[in-house]
Amino acid sequence: MNLRKNVFYLLTLTILMFTSCSNDDDDKGDAQVLVTVVSSDNKPLSNEIVQMFDEKTYEEFKKDNRITPTAYVLTNSKGVATFIFTHDEWFGSSKDRFFTFAVQYGSGTENYEIWSSGRTIRSGSVTQIELKLESL
């Protein structure tokens, strides 16, 4: 009976060890963000420039919409721009970061439109965002 108990405890500890290790690895993976850009009637818009701003550049962008984005990606034929955030480059020792994604027509103080969405992105996650360009 004692042997059964010991084997049971050993198996339980082994399972817990592997479960906890896999959760740590998930937090250290690359994050993927899929930004879908659609028209006001929900049709995907291809070849749209989706800008990405990290925390610092977004603060600058709020003051001056002519600021250069941290990164940008063109939407594909299905209206999707895919951003890949490698753990080492974008997250370092933190598990998540806040990024803002935007489509912008024009710039300056007049005659411009901006559609944007900010999200907290976790390392190792896949996030989907939709930007609906209402006035088109």
Side-chain angles (χ1 to χ4, degrees):
M1 187 68 157
N2 230 358
L3 181 62
R4 279 188 183 173
K5 237 181 200 181
N6 289 341
V7 170
F8 174 75
Y9 287 126
L10 183 60
L11 285 174
T12 302
L13 286 173
T14 304
I15 290 169
L16 288 174
M17 184 179 72
F18 283 116
T19 304
S20 65
C21 289
S22 67
N23 288 340
D24 290 344
D25 291 343
D26 289 346
D27 288 343
K28 293 181 181 177
D30 298 346
Q32 184 177 34
V33 178
L34 307 169
V35 181
T36 303
V37 180
V38 297
S39 63
S40 58
D41 57 351
N42 292 318
K43 292 185 180 166
L45 298 172
S46 60
N47 296 316
E48 291 290 335
I49 299 171
V50 179
Q51 303 175 88
M52 185 280 291
F53 299 92
D54 64 10
E55 302 90 342
K56 181 182 175 187
T57 55
Y58 185 65
E59 289 304 314
E60 295 171 8
F61 179 72
K62 289 192 300 188
K63 296 173 191 167
D64 179 3
N65 63 30
R66 292 172 284 210
I67 214 77
T68 302
T70 308
Y72 64 88
V73 173
L74 283 176
T75 58
N76 62 18
S77 61
K78 295 180 182 180
V80 178
T82 303
F83 291 86
I84 305 292
F85 298 97
T86 59
H87 176 78
D88 292 340
E89 180 180 358
W90 291 100
F91 296 96
S93 62
S94 62
K95 290 183 179 182
D96 50 40
R97 299 238 350 238
F98 191 84
F99 297 112
T100 301
F101 303 89
V103 171
Q104 177 177 345
Y105 289 176
S107 64
T109 58
E110 299 178 21
N111 298 322
Y112 67 89
E113 291 184 87
I114 299 171
W115 301 267
S116 66
S117 180
R119 295 283 172 82
T120 299
I121 306 301
R122 182 166 289 264
S123 179
S125 69
V126 176
T127 304
Q128 295 186 349
I129 297 172
E130 181 178 274
L131 293 178
K132 186 178 243 185
L133 310 189
E134 291 292 346
S135 65
L136 295 180

